[in-house]
Amino acid sequence: MKYLILIYGNPATREMWEQLTDAERAAGWGAYAALNKDLAASGELIVTEALTDASLTKRVNSHQGTTMTTDGPFAEVKELLAGFYLVECESEERAIEIAGRIPEAGFGLVEVRPVLDTGGMEM
């Protein structure tokens, strides 16, 4: 089954990251590199990406053939999406185990969400 592991951030965690020493930041990036290597080796990793700053978000609205954009972000939340992993693994428990290795999990900023099975229907 496929699971989307969502990684969030907020101004407080961003500030904490910026206050880390170079060595501490390198250790954080190292944790991601190790996780990526392990998931690639196990065949569970489909894709992972970090997202740019949320201030670069564009909201898209299409109405009666006209597409308009406005600058974002627009989520009415305290945390904004910072990155994700799309994994295919045997169980939700395994997806949660993977998510627990993400540094932001220490702040409660990681979610695991099953991907909708569309039964092979092209979308």
Side-chain angles (χ1 to χ4, degrees):
M1 177 140 194
K2 292 180 186 172
Y3 293 90
L4 185 63
I5 301 172
L6 302 165
I7 304 164
Y8 292 92
N10 61 43
T13 58
R14 184 92 220 124
E15 185 176 319
M16 289 172 59
W17 175 259
E18 291 170 1
Q19 291 177 0
L20 294 175
T21 66
D22 289 344
E24 290 169 326
R25 276 195 294 274
W29 287 120
Y32 278 107
L35 178 58
N36 294 349
K37 182 179 178 184
D38 290 348
L39 292 176
S42 71
E44 295 170 303
L45 180 63
I46 296 172
V47 66
T48 183
E49 294 290 345
L51 302 176
T52 62
D53 189 281
S55 67
L56 300 174
T57 301
K58 299 290 185 204
R59 182 174 222 167
V60 178
N61 185 335
S62 182
H63 183 68
Q64 296 182 346
T66 302
T67 301
M68 298 175 290
T69 63
T70 31
D71 293 337
F74 290 92
E76 295 293 328
V77 295
K78 293 179 183 175
E79 287 89 24
L80 298 168
L81 188 61
F84 67 90
Y85 281 81
L86 179 59
V87 297
E88 187 162 7
C89 52
E90 62 187 42
S91 67
E92 181 178 60
E93 291 77 17
R94 175 62 180 147
I96 291 168
E97 179 185 329
I98 293 166
R101 291 184 59 190
I102 296 171
E104 285 84 352
F107 301 105
L109 296 171
V110 177
E111 293 180 350
V112 173
R113 188 170 179 179
V115 173
L116 181 64
D117 181 0
T118 60
M121 177 179 58
E122 288 192 35
M123 300 196 63

